Amino acid sequence: MFERFQIEVLATTDAATSELEEHQKLRASDWHGRMIPTFRPDAVVNIQPGFAEQIRLLSQVSGVDVSDYRTYLTALEQRRRFFKELGATATDHAAQSAYTARLSAHEADAIFQRALKDEASAEDARRFTGHMLIELARMSVEDGLVMQIHIGSSRDHNPDLLTRFGRDMGADIPTSSEFTHNFKPLLDLFGRDPRLSLILFNLDETTYSRELAPLAGHYPALRLGPPWWFFDSILGMRRYFANVVETAGIYNTAGFNDDTRAYPSIPARHDVWRRVSADWLAGLVVEGIVDEEDAHEMSIDLAYRLAKRSYKLEG
Amino acid sequence: MFERFQIEVLATTDAATSELEEHQKLRASDWHGRMIPTFRPDAVVNIQPGFAEQIRLLSQVSGVDVSDYRTYLTALEQRRRFFKELGATATDHAAQSAYTARLSAHEADAIFQRALKDEASAEDARRFTGHMLIELARMSVEDGLVMQIHIGSSRDHNPDLLTRFGRDMGADIPTSSEFTHNFKPLLDLFGRDPRLSLILFNLDETTYSRELAPLAGHYPALRLGPPWWFFDSILGMRRYFANVVETAGIYNTAGFNDDTRAYPSIPARHDVWRRVSADWLAGLVVEGIVDEEDAHEMSIDLAYRLAKRSYKLEG
Amino acid sequence: MFERFQIEVLATTDAATSELEEHQKLRASDWHGRMIPTFRPDAVVNIQPGFAEQIRLLSQVSGVDVSDYRTYLTALEQRRRFFKELGATATDHAAQSAYTARLSAHEADAIFQRALKDEASAEDARRFTGHMLIELARMSVEDGLVMQIHIGSSRDHNPDLLTRFGRDMGADIPTSSEFTHNFKPLLDLFGRDPRLSLILFNLDETTYSRELAPLAGHYPALRLGPPWWFFDSILGMRRYFANVVETAGIYNTAGFNDDTRAYPSIPARHDVWRRVSADWLAGLVVEGIVDEEDAHEMSIDLAYRLAKRSYKLEG
């Protein structure tokens, strides 16, 4: 399918604690498609039941004895290097809220210690994730991994599914989001840093024209990801073009990628994006806002070049 | 007018304490149109000035001596039976917020007692309504009455109107709503119960694509009511189709009903819905998303069959 | 340019403490275009660093020895009279939130005294602005100056710009707003007062259909300003027509004005509005909702007469 779909790059998302065995096997094989891992540290960043076990796993795979906040950061940095060696160009983070705020190393360590003893509160968890998003942005500035953030899903909404099948099995419902205040601490530090490429996905369309387009228009590090999940759809894409692009332009977006779990759906999903974006551009040409030549270039950028550039896949 | 408009069913909304005299007279008359009551318990559920008097009235009409939370529930159940006997298939509840959360019987009784003595706080009122929405859903599961909830109106916004003419005389202004978190406690218990048909109306269009369509798509008991009040309009309906249906489909909606107080407006209001829905369907046919045969069936469902099914009027 | 652009009135915005020297010079000159000041008291109303210095300036230019809340009000009233003498017909206020709530004179004075000593908290500042919006509406009722309020901008978002160039140099990012509850205290007092013309601008499009259109439809004093800033654009205007006008009608809007800092952009900006409004009206004619004659009158109202009337420029 990889060849038939003419895929240039396919990125998996992998737990920070993964040994990436399949990626290692692929590399050792005689198949030479570009299939790369993505560093997804949610389980070792978001404090929830089982966190301590995840940290033990992190210790083990990183070879760093993680006993406090300092060694925890070292272990994360080690894992990022390992992912990079196997081809990763990006990380991926999910948080329910876009809240970011810096903690002192002392506070971060105190929460981390409580989390290891399963004594962290919900507020601890919120503050720790808010701090770690900044810390992970700092790591991205240093090691060059593109940072993806997915905001706004209330996961495991259906208790029946949760009880019977465990976490992350569906019934994730969007919630409203806030970026202007919540993201400021992160953007204060890294929003203008040319080394950072921060791609933001979200599930609250009301933030498109109100917050995200103005923020992406202002901060060079910030790029808006394509419409995500429920909005990876014809009307979702149309609303995205209507509400994001007039203010932010297409060159502050990351073009299109999709995060399907269904391999055979890849061509169809890209096809929908290509058709909707071409239809939108055709409308701009008809209205005399964009000329035909520019529209042609923009359509290629939207379908292909923007994603390649945003994810640093040009090398 | 009932015959001239070819009305099959007309439902009034009636206080839980109503004796439904007109309905009784109609039944005894030789007119055989289907005009049925709807159980609207707001005045005996939402704690506000005059609540104790409402509860005395409830005692009187139900024949249940309402002295505590337990006898209060018994009286409500008695009234629901009475309404059902006179043809009711549905209840109707209004709350400013979608907040739901279960109280212990002990807590519910404590608030109820304070309310009887006119000593309940605004927070008491909020928690009591949040609890009773769950309790009323439980009753609907048991007696089969369809549950309608109208969320998001800040009533009596104009103090002048309120002082001169009393409550519920107009100047009701919408507010923003939240369903993903607020409705979870109710949906946790009954969202997957096939006995429940819960029809939700709201005044915050931003929740259409973000919360309501995903929730209605997931929980079988939940159906979205048609655009309400300010949004019972051409553009309101178009936005509803654009933002709800791509995710939820039309079969998780309740089709169309309207809640006019103006009898002669009934045909015009249904006509607007039929035209806007037919126009929307025609667009889907032109775009090749729906074929003509399906569109024809969908137009009948939207105009007629969905409402009939959702309100259990097929018998 | 004034003549070439066929400008009838051009209003500047000027600090409450301004001596309006340029306006005085213009008046004394032999140029007779109508260029008038607008009273913008933000710096003497919103408590922020430098507030005490602003109040000293206010004392100085007003000739009122401002030592407490009472003399502060007197000084503001004096400045408003001075602005009116030089042709002002309006005031302009910016606040991040639409929060309004009346303080007692005692509380207002206590906060004012703390602010003079640079000891006011963020909460003090929020409450003082919320109170002063009401107080300034009261002054508008008395002196007839049209009141403009701009809500929803989080100013100086980029700390780098702020540090290097100081306040109000850009990087202002919209935030979500709430009007139904926040504006009630002000509307309770003056929303039905025929002497008040209150023009509201905001940056949260979700409030258009949910809060602003219903409020403007209900309260005679309230008029909605045209789409502002990021939304002073083709699509911003289209969304405004789609979401505001069906409920509020055009005669509860203030038509169009723009707040450009770029003199040569004035004709283009008005031209965009005229074209988008004419296009929107043409659509209503094609759909049979408005007839051609009415559309013609409405287009003139939208382009010209509504603004003139709303800003009391007809004299």
Side-chain angles (χ1 to χ4, degrees):
Chain A
M1 282 196 285
F2 193 93
E3 278 98 39
R4 204 165 110 207
F5 296 165
Q6 297 183 271
I7 294 173
E8 286 187 25
V9 184
L10 195 151
T12 60
T13 50
D14 309 271
T17 50
S18 169
E19 297 278 19
L20 303 176
E21 287 96 344
E22 286 88 352
H23 284 278
Q24 306 215 32
K25 273 188 222 155
L26 262 183
R27 295 219 142 198
S29 78
D30 54 2
W31 185 77
H32 296 300
R34 189 167 176 194
M35 181 136 11
I36 58 178
T38 305
F39 181 72
R40 181 156 196 170
D42 292 354
V44 293
V45 166
N46 298 333
I47 298 171
Q48 44 188 11
F51 182 76
E53 174 56 26
Q54 288 293 326
I55 298 301
R56 262 189 297 279
L57 219 54
L58 178 64
S59 268
Q60 189 183 307
V61 297
S62 67
V64 177
D65 179 19
V66 178
S67 57
D68 56 14
Y69 176 65
R70 196 181 50 77
T71 46
Y72 165 70
L73 292 187
T74 306
L76 287 176
E77 285 163 348
Q78 189 282 340
R79 295 315 289 158
R80 295 170 68 105
R81 274 196 303 277
F82 175 69
F83 273 66
K84 271 186 80 172
E85 277 159 24
L86 283 164
T89 71
T91 68
D92 188 13
H93 313 273
Q96 191 172 323
S97 134
Y99 173 78
T100 64
R102 204 160 180 74
L103 301 175
S104 70
H106 179 76
E107 285 174 295
D109 190 51
I111 295 178
F112 185 75
Q113 298 297 346
R114 285 200 289 279
L116 288 185
K117 286 180 273 180
D118 206 11
E119 290 169 2
S121 66
E123 179 61 11
D124 280 342
R126 194 180 77 93
R127 294 178 70 214
F128 195 73
T129 295
H131 169 74
M132 284 305 297
L133 287 175
I134 295 179
E135 205 54 37
L136 290 159
R138 192 263 305 157
M139 292 182 196
S140 275
V141 164
E142 289 174 7
D143 65 18
L145 287 176
V146 172
M147 184 177 189
Q148 297 177 91
I149 306 185
H150 288 82
I151 296 292
S153 173
S154 177
R155 301 195 180 252
D156 308 315
H157 197 274
N158 181 334
D160 227 34
L161 276 185
L162 179 62
T163 310
R164 289 173 60 192
F165 301 108
R167 276 218 294 267
D168 294 326
M169 285 302 165
D172 301 339
I173 308 288
T175 58
S176 68
S177 294
E178 200 284 331
F179 293 95
T180 304
H181 300 303
N182 278 335
F183 243 46
K184 192 174 186 309
L186 191 157
L187 293 170
D188 279 357
L189 291 170
F190 305 116
R192 301 169 314 280
D193 196 308
R195 292 169 294 176
L196 183 65
S197 174
L198 171 58
I199 302 176
L200 189 59
F201 297 81
N202 99 101
L203 294 172
D204 182 354
E205 294 176 298
T206 69
T207 62
Y208 282 177
S209 68
R210 187 180 60 215
E211 301 170 30
L212 294 182
L215 286 170
H218 186 80
Y219 290 99
L222 186 62
R223 291 188 173 213
L224 304 182
W228 175 40
W229 203 330
F230 295 101
F231 310 118
D232 182 1
S233 66
I234 296 176
L235 298 181
M237 290 171 186
R238 284 188 189 152
R239 290 195 291 266
Y240 177 85
F241 285 122
N243 290 295
V244 160
V245 174
E246 197 177 55
T247 291
I250 68 169
Y251 297 102
N252 288 312
T253 76
F256 186 72
N257 63 340
D258 80 288
D259 63 347
T260 183
R261 297 179 184 186
Y263 206 142
S265 78
I266 294 174
R269 292 166 79 125
H270 283 260
D271 195 41
V272 170
W273 172 261
R274 281 195 300 266
R275 285 168 191 240
V276 175
S277 59
D279 180 56
W280 170 71
L281 285 165
L284 294 182
V285 171
V286 168
E287 288 197 320
I289 292 169
V290 168
D291 71 27
E292 218 171 310
E293 202 178 328
D294 284 348
H296 184 252
E297 291 301 311
M298 289 165 76
S299 73
I300 301 171
D301 286 330
L302 283 167
Y304 179 71
R305 288 187 296 226
L306 271 166
K308 204 162 167 179
R309 200 175 310 150
S310 302
Y311 283 94
K312 300 189 180 173
L313 295 167
E314 288 170 316
Chain B
M1 284 197 285
F2 192 93
E3 277 98 38
R4 203 166 111 207
F5 297 165
Q6 297 182 271
I7 294 173
E8 287 187 24
V9 183
L10 194 150
T12 60
T13 50
D14 309 271
T17 52
S18 169
E19 297 278 20
L20 302 177
E21 288 96 343
E22 286 88 351
H23 285 277
Q24 306 215 34
K25 274 187 220 155
L26 262 182
R27 296 219 140 196
S29 78
D30 55 3
W31 185 78
H32 297 302
R34 189 169 177 193
M35 180 137 10
I36 58 178
T38 304
F39 182 73
R40 182 158 195 170
D42 292 353
V44 294
V45 165
N46 297 334
I47 300 171
Q48 44 189 12
F51 183 77
E53 175 56 26
Q54 289 292 326
I55 298 301
R56 265 190 294 278
L57 219 55
L58 178 66
S59 267
Q60 189 182 308
V61 297
S62 67
V64 176
D65 179 19
V66 178
S67 58
D68 56 14
Y69 175 66
R70 197 182 49 80
T71 46
Y72 164 71
L73 293 187
T74 306
L76 287 177
E77 285 163 348
Q78 189 282 339
R79 295 315 290 158
R80 295 171 67 105
R81 274 195 302 278
F82 175 70
F83 272 67
K84 271 186 79 170
E85 278 159 22
L86 283 164
T89 72
T91 67
D92 188 13
H93 312 274
Q96 190 172 322
S97 134
Y99 173 79
T100 65
R102 204 162 181 75
L103 300 175
S104 69
H106 180 76
E107 284 174 296
D109 191 51
I111 295 178
F112 185 74
Q113 297 298 347
R114 284 200 288 278
L116 288 185
K117 287 179 275 182
D118 207 11
E119 290 169 1
S121 66
E123 179 62 9
D124 280 343
R126 193 180 78 92
R127 293 179 70 212
F128 195 73
T129 295
H131 169 74
M132 285 305 297
L133 287 176
I134 295 179
E135 205 53 38
L136 291 158
R138 192 262 306 158
M139 293 181 194
S140 275
V141 164
E142 289 174 6
D143 65 19
L145 287 176
V146 172
M147 183 176 191
Q148 296 176 92
I149 306 185
H150 289 80
I151 296 292
S153 172
S154 178
R155 300 193 180 255
D156 308 315
H157 198 274
N158 181 334
D160 226 34
L161 277 185
L162 180 62
T163 310
R164 290 172 60 192
F165 301 107
R167 275 216 296 266
D168 294 327
M169 285 302 165
D172 301 340
I173 308 288
T175 59
S176 67
S177 295
E178 200 286 329
F179 293 94
T180 304
H181 301 302
N182 278 334
F183 244 47
K184 192 173 186 310
L186 191 157
L187 293 170
D188 278 357
L189 291 169
F190 305 117
R192 300 168 315 277
D193 196 308
R195 292 168 295 176
L196 182 64
S197 174
L198 171 56
I199 301 176
L200 189 59
F201 297 81
N202 100 102
L203 293 173
D204 181 355
E205 295 176 296
T206 69
T207 63
Y208 282 175
S209 68
R210 188 180 59 215
E211 301 171 30
L212 294 181
L215 285 169
H218 186 81
Y219 290 100
L222 186 62
R223 290 187 174 214
L224 303 183
W228 176 40
W229 204 331
F230 295 101
F231 310 117
D232 182 1
S233 66
I234 297 176
L235 298 182
M237 290 171 186
R238 284 189 189 152
R239 289 195 292 265
Y240 177 84
F241 285 122
N243 290 295
V244 160
V245 176
E246 197 177 58
T247 291
I250 69 169
Y251 297 102
N252 288 313
T253 76
F256 185 72
N257 64 339
D258 81 287
D259 63 346
T260 183
R261 298 177 183 188
Y263 207 141
S265 78
I266 294 174
R269 292 166 77 124
H270 282 260
D271 196 40
V272 170
W273 172 261
R274 281 196 300 267
R275 285 169 191 240
V276 175
S277 59
D279 180 55
W280 170 72
L281 285 165
L284 293 183
V285 171
V286 168
E287 289 198 318
I289 293 169
V290 169
D291 72 25
E292 219 170 311
E293 203 178 326
D294 284 349
H296 184 251
E297 290 302 310
M298 288 165 77
S299 73
I300 301 170
D301 286 330
L302 283 168
Y304 179 70
R305 288 187 296 226
L306 271 166
K308 205 163 168 180
R309 201 175 310 150
S310 303
Y311 283 95
K312 299 188 179 174
L313 296 166
E314 288 169 317
Chain C
M1 284 196 286
F2 193 93
E3 278 99 37
R4 204 165 110 206
F5 296 165
Q6 297 182 272
I7 295 172
E8 287 188 24
V9 184
L10 195 151
T12 60
T13 51
D14 309 270
T17 51
S18 168
E19 298 278 19
L20 303 176
E21 288 97 343
E22 285 87 352
H23 285 278
Q24 306 215 34
K25 274 187 221 155
L26 262 183
R27 296 219 141 197
S29 78
D30 55 2
W31 185 77
H32 297 301
R34 189 168 177 193
M35 181 138 8
I36 59 178
T38 304
F39 181 72
R40 182 156 195 169
D42 292 353
V44 293
V45 166
N46 298 334
I47 299 171
Q48 46 190 9
F51 182 77
E53 174 56 26
Q54 289 292 325
I55 298 301
R56 263 190 296 278
L57 219 55
L58 177 65
S59 268
Q60 189 183 309
V61 297
S62 67
V64 177
D65 179 20
V66 178
S67 57
D68 56 13
Y69 176 66
R70 198 181 49 78
T71 46
Y72 164 70
L73 292 186
T74 306
L76 287 177
E77 284 163 349
Q78 189 281 340
R79 295 314 291 159
R80 295 170 67 105
R81 274 195 303 278
F82 175 69
F83 272 67
K84 270 186 81 171
E85 278 159 24
L86 283 163
T89 72
T91 68
D92 187 13
H93 312 272
Q96 191 173 322
S97 135
Y99 173 80
T100 64
R102 204 162 181 74
L103 300 176
S104 69
H106 180 75
E107 285 174 296
D109 190 51
I111 294 177
F112 186 74
Q113 297 298 346
R114 284 200 288 278
L116 289 185
K117 286 179 274 180
D118 206 11
E119 290 169 1
S121 67
E123 180 61 11
D124 280 343
R126 193 180 78 92
R127 294 178 70 213
F128 195 74
T129 295
H131 170 74
M132 285 305 298
L133 287 176
I134 296 178
E135 205 54 37
L136 291 158
R138 193 262 306 157
M139 293 182 194
S140 275
V141 164
E142 290 174 5
D143 65 19
L145 287 176
V146 172
M147 184 177 191
Q148 297 176 92
I149 306 185
H150 289 80
I151 296 292
S153 173
S154 177
R155 299 192 181 256
D156 308 314
H157 198 275
N158 180 333
D160 225 33
L161 277 184
L162 180 61
T163 310
R164 289 173 59 191
F165 301 107
R167 277 218 294 268
D168 294 327
M169 286 301 165
D172 301 341
I173 308 288
T175 59
S176 67
S177 294
E178 200 285 331
F179 293 95
T180 304
H181 301 302
N182 278 334
F183 243 48
K184 192 173 187 310
L186 190 157
L187 294 170
D188 279 358
L189 290 170
F190 305 116
R192 302 169 313 280
D193 196 308
R195 292 169 295 176
L196 182 63
S197 174
L198 170 56
I199 301 177
L200 189 58
F201 296 81
N202 99 103
L203 293 173
D204 182 356
E205 294 177 297
T206 70
T207 64
Y208 282 176
S209 67
R210 187 180 61 214
E211 302 171 30
L212 294 182
L215 286 169
H218 186 80
Y219 290 100
L222 186 61
R223 290 188 173 212
L224 303 183
W228 176 40
W229 202 331
F230 295 101
F231 310 118
D232 181 1
S233 65
I234 296 176
L235 299 181
M237 291 172 186
R238 284 189 189 151
R239 289 195 292 265
Y240 177 85
F241 285 123
N243 290 295
V244 160
V245 174
E246 197 177 57
T247 290
I250 67 169
Y251 298 102
N252 288 312
T253 75
F256 185 73
N257 64 339
D258 82 287
D259 63 346
T260 183
R261 298 178 182 186
Y263 207 142
S265 78
I266 294 174
R269 292 165 77 124
H270 282 260
D271 195 41
V272 170
W273 172 261
R274 282 195 300 266
R275 285 168 191 240
V276 175
S277 60
D279 179 57
W280 170 73
L281 285 165
L284 294 181
V285 171
V286 169
E287 289 198 318
I289 293 169
V290 168
D291 71 26
E292 218 170 311
E293 203 179 325
D294 284 348
H296 184 250
E297 291 302 310
M298 289 165 77
S299 72
I300 301 171
D301 286 330
L302 283 168
Y304 179 71
R305 289 188 295 226
L306 271 166
K308 204 162 168 179
R309 201 175 310 148
S310 303
Y311 283 94
K312 300 189 178 173
L313 296 166
E314 289 169 315

Short mmCIF file of all heavy atoms in Angstrom, two decimals, chain A residues 131-159:
data_model
loop_
_atom_site.label_atom_id
_atom_site.label_comp_id
_atom_site.label_asym_id
_atom_site.label_seq_id
_atom_site.Cartn_x
_atom_site.Cartn_y
_atom_site.Cartn_z
N HIS A 131 3.33 22.90 32.82
CA HIS A 131 4.76 23.18 32.89
C HIS A 131 5.55 22.38 31.86
O HIS A 131 6.45 22.90 31.18
CB HIS A 131 5.26 22.86 34.30
CG HIS A 131 6.76 22.86 34.42
ND1 HIS A 131 7.50 24.02 34.44
CD2 HIS A 131 7.66 21.84 34.51
CE1 HIS A 131 8.79 23.73 34.55
NE2 HIS A 131 8.91 22.41 34.59
N MET A 132 5.19 21.12 31.73
CA MET A 132 5.96 20.24 30.84
C MET A 132 5.78 20.63 29.37
O MET A 132 6.69 20.41 28.57
CB MET A 132 5.58 18.77 31.08
CG MET A 132 6.20 18.19 32.36
SD MET A 132 8.02 18.37 32.45
CE MET A 132 8.53 17.38 31.02
N LEU A 133 4.62 21.20 29.01
CA LEU A 133 4.48 21.67 27.62
C LEU A 133 5.55 22.71 27.31
O LEU A 133 6.14 22.73 26.22
CB LEU A 133 3.07 22.23 27.38
CG LEU A 133 1.94 21.20 27.30
CD1 LEU A 133 0.58 21.89 27.17
CD2 LEU A 133 2.14 20.24 26.12
N ILE A 134 5.83 23.57 28.29
CA ILE A 134 6.88 24.56 28.09
C ILE A 134 8.25 23.89 28.04
O ILE A 134 9.09 24.20 27.19
CB ILE A 134 6.84 25.61 29.24
CG1 ILE A 134 5.53 26.40 29.16
CG2 ILE A 134 8.05 26.53 29.16
CD1 ILE A 134 5.38 27.44 30.26
N GLU A 135 8.47 22.94 28.94
CA GLU A 135 9.76 22.24 29.01
C GLU A 135 10.00 21.45 27.72
O GLU A 135 11.13 21.40 27.21
CB GLU A 135 9.74 21.32 30.24
CG GLU A 135 11.08 20.98 30.82
CD GLU A 135 11.92 22.20 31.14
OE1 GLU A 135 11.36 23.24 31.60
OE2 GLU A 135 13.13 22.14 30.90
N LEU A 136 8.94 20.85 27.18
CA LEU A 136 9.09 20.08 25.95
C LEU A 136 9.30 21.00 24.75
O LEU A 136 10.00 20.63 23.79
CB LEU A 136 7.85 19.18 25.75
CG LEU A 136 7.76 18.03 26.77
CD1 LEU A 136 6.32 17.52 26.87
CD2 LEU A 136 8.70 16.88 26.39
N ALA A 137 8.71 22.21 24.81
CA ALA A 137 9.00 23.20 23.76
C ALA A 137 10.47 23.58 23.82
O ALA A 137 11.14 23.72 22.79
CB ALA A 137 8.10 24.42 23.94
N ARG A 138 10.98 23.74 25.03
CA ARG A 138 12.41 24.07 25.20
C ARG A 138 13.27 22.96 24.58
O ARG A 138 14.25 23.22 23.87
CB ARG A 138 12.71 24.23 26.70
CG ARG A 138 14.05 24.83 27.05
CD ARG A 138 15.12 23.79 27.38
NE ARG A 138 14.71 22.89 28.46
CZ ARG A 138 15.24 21.68 28.61
NH1 ARG A 138 16.16 21.21 27.79
NH2 ARG A 138 14.80 20.90 29.61
N MET A 139 12.90 21.70 24.84
CA MET A 139 13.67 20.59 24.25
C MET A 139 13.60 20.62 22.73
O MET A 139 14.58 20.35 22.05
CB MET A 139 13.14 19.24 24.76
CG MET A 139 13.40 19.00 26.25
SD MET A 139 12.79 17.36 26.79
CE MET A 139 12.77 17.57 28.58
N SER A 140 12.42 20.97 22.19
CA SER A 140 12.27 21.05 20.73
C SER A 140 13.15 22.15 20.15
O SER A 140 13.73 22.01 19.07
CB SER A 140 10.81 21.31 20.34
OG SER A 140 10.10 20.09 20.27
N VAL A 141 13.23 23.28 20.88
CA VAL A 141 14.13 24.34 20.44
C VAL A 141 15.55 23.80 20.36
O VAL A 141 16.30 24.08 19.41
CB VAL A 141 14.05 25.53 21.42
CG1 VAL A 141 15.24 26.47 21.23
CG2 VAL A 141 12.73 26.28 21.22
N GLU A 142 15.91 22.96 21.32
CA GLU A 142 17.29 22.48 21.38
C GLU A 142 17.58 21.35 20.40
O GLU A 142 18.64 21.33 19.78
CB GLU A 142 17.62 22.06 22.81
CG GLU A 142 17.73 23.28 23.72
CD GLU A 142 17.91 22.93 25.19
OE1 GLU A 142 18.09 21.74 25.51
OE2 GLU A 142 17.88 23.87 26.02
N ASP A 143 16.64 20.39 20.28
CA ASP A 143 16.97 19.25 19.41
C ASP A 143 16.29 19.31 18.05
O ASP A 143 16.49 18.43 17.21
CB ASP A 143 16.69 17.91 20.12
CG ASP A 143 15.20 17.68 20.44
OD1 ASP A 143 14.34 18.35 19.84
OD2 ASP A 143 14.91 16.82 21.30
N GLY A 144 15.47 20.33 17.83
CA GLY A 144 14.91 20.53 16.49
C GLY A 144 13.70 19.68 16.15
O GLY A 144 13.17 19.77 15.04
N LEU A 145 13.23 18.85 17.08
CA LEU A 145 12.02 18.06 16.78
C LEU A 145 10.80 18.99 16.71
O LEU A 145 10.58 19.79 17.62
CB LEU A 145 11.81 16.97 17.85
CG LEU A 145 12.77 15.78 17.82
CD1 LEU A 145 12.51 14.83 19.00
CD2 LEU A 145 12.67 15.01 16.49
N VAL A 146 10.04 18.86 15.65
CA VAL A 146 8.81 19.63 15.51
C VAL A 146 7.85 19.23 16.63
O VAL A 146 7.74 18.05 16.96
CB VAL A 146 8.16 19.32 14.14
CG1 VAL A 146 6.78 19.94 14.04
CG2 VAL A 146 9.07 19.80 13.00
N MET A 147 7.19 20.21 17.24
CA MET A 147 6.31 19.92 18.37
C MET A 147 4.85 20.02 17.93
O MET A 147 4.40 21.07 17.49
CB MET A 147 6.57 20.94 19.49
CG MET A 147 5.79 20.67 20.75
SD MET A 147 6.24 21.87 22.06
CE MET A 147 5.39 21.14 23.47
N GLN A 148 4.14 18.90 18.04
CA GLN A 148 2.70 18.91 17.76
C GLN A 148 1.93 18.88 19.07
O GLN A 148 2.25 18.08 19.96
CB GLN A 148 2.28 17.67 16.97
CG GLN A 148 2.90 17.54 15.59
CD GLN A 148 2.46 16.22 14.95
OE1 GLN A 148 1.46 16.16 14.25
NE2 GLN A 148 3.19 15.15 15.21
N ILE A 149 0.90 19.71 19.19
CA ILE A 149 0.04 19.67 20.38
C ILE A 149 -1.42 19.51 19.94
O ILE A 149 -1.89 20.25 19.08
CB ILE A 149 0.20 20.94 21.24
CG1 ILE A 149 1.66 21.17 21.60
CG2 ILE A 149 -0.63 20.83 22.51
CD1 ILE A 149 1.90 22.35 22.55
N HIS A 150 -2.08 18.55 20.52
CA HIS A 150 -3.51 18.33 20.26
C HIS A 150 -4.28 18.70 21.52
O HIS A 150 -4.12 18.08 22.57
CB HIS A 150 -3.77 16.85 19.93
CG HIS A 150 -3.27 16.44 18.58
ND1 HIS A 150 -1.95 16.11 18.35
CD2 HIS A 150 -3.91 16.30 17.39
CE1 HIS A 150 -1.80 15.78 17.06
NE2 HIS A 150 -2.97 15.89 16.45
N ILE A 151 -5.14 19.71 21.39
CA ILE A 151 -5.84 20.25 22.56
C ILE A 151 -7.35 20.05 22.46
O ILE A 151 -7.92 20.19 21.39
CB ILE A 151 -5.57 21.77 22.67
CG1 ILE A 151 -4.09 22.05 22.90
CG2 ILE A 151 -6.42 22.41 23.78
CD1 ILE A 151 -3.56 21.62 24.23
N GLY A 152 -7.98 19.73 23.60
CA GLY A 152 -9.42 19.91 23.68
C GLY A 152 -10.29 18.67 23.73
O GLY A 152 -11.51 18.79 23.68
N SER A 153 -9.70 17.50 23.85
CA SER A 153 -10.53 16.31 23.90
C SER A 153 -10.75 15.86 25.34
O SER A 153 -9.82 15.76 26.12
CB SER A 153 -9.84 15.20 23.12
OG SER A 153 -10.55 14.00 23.30
N SER A 154 -12.01 15.62 25.68
CA SER A 154 -12.32 15.00 26.97
C SER A 154 -12.43 13.51 26.71
O SER A 154 -13.40 13.02 26.15
CB SER A 154 -13.63 15.56 27.51
OG SER A 154 -13.97 14.92 28.72
N ARG A 155 -11.40 12.79 27.09
CA ARG A 155 -11.29 11.38 26.70
C ARG A 155 -12.13 10.47 27.59
O ARG A 155 -12.44 10.80 28.72
CB ARG A 155 -9.82 10.96 26.73
CG ARG A 155 -9.02 11.84 25.76
CD ARG A 155 -7.65 11.33 25.40
NE ARG A 155 -7.05 12.29 24.46
CZ ARG A 155 -6.86 12.06 23.17
NH1 ARG A 155 -7.17 10.91 22.64
NH2 ARG A 155 -6.34 13.00 22.38
N ASP A 156 -12.49 9.32 27.02
CA ASP A 156 -13.17 8.27 27.78
C ASP A 156 -14.45 8.79 28.44
O ASP A 156 -14.66 8.61 29.64
CB ASP A 156 -12.22 7.70 28.85
CG ASP A 156 -10.89 7.28 28.24
OD1 ASP A 156 -10.91 6.62 27.18
OD2 ASP A 156 -9.83 7.61 28.82
N HIS A 157 -15.29 9.43 27.65
CA HIS A 157 -16.50 10.06 28.18
C HIS A 157 -17.50 9.01 28.62
O HIS A 157 -18.28 9.24 29.55
CB HIS A 157 -17.11 10.97 27.10
CG HIS A 157 -18.09 11.97 27.60
ND1 HIS A 157 -19.42 11.69 27.76
CD2 HIS A 157 -17.92 13.26 27.98
CE1 HIS A 157 -20.04 12.77 28.20
NE2 HIS A 157 -19.15 13.74 28.35
N ASN A 158 -17.50 7.87 27.97
CA ASN A 158 -18.48 6.81 28.24
C ASN A 158 -17.92 5.82 29.26
O ASN A 158 -17.01 5.05 28.95
CB ASN A 158 -18.78 6.12 26.90
CG ASN A 158 -19.79 5.01 27.04
OD1 ASN A 158 -19.95 4.42 28.10
ND2 ASN A 158 -20.47 4.70 25.95
N PRO A 159 -18.46 5.81 30.48
CA PRO A 159 -17.87 4.99 31.55
C PRO A 159 -17.98 3.49 31.26
O PRO A 159 -17.15 2.71 31.75
CB PRO A 159 -18.70 5.36 32.79
CG PRO A 159 -19.97 5.91 32.26
CD PRO A 159 -19.66 6.53 30.93
#
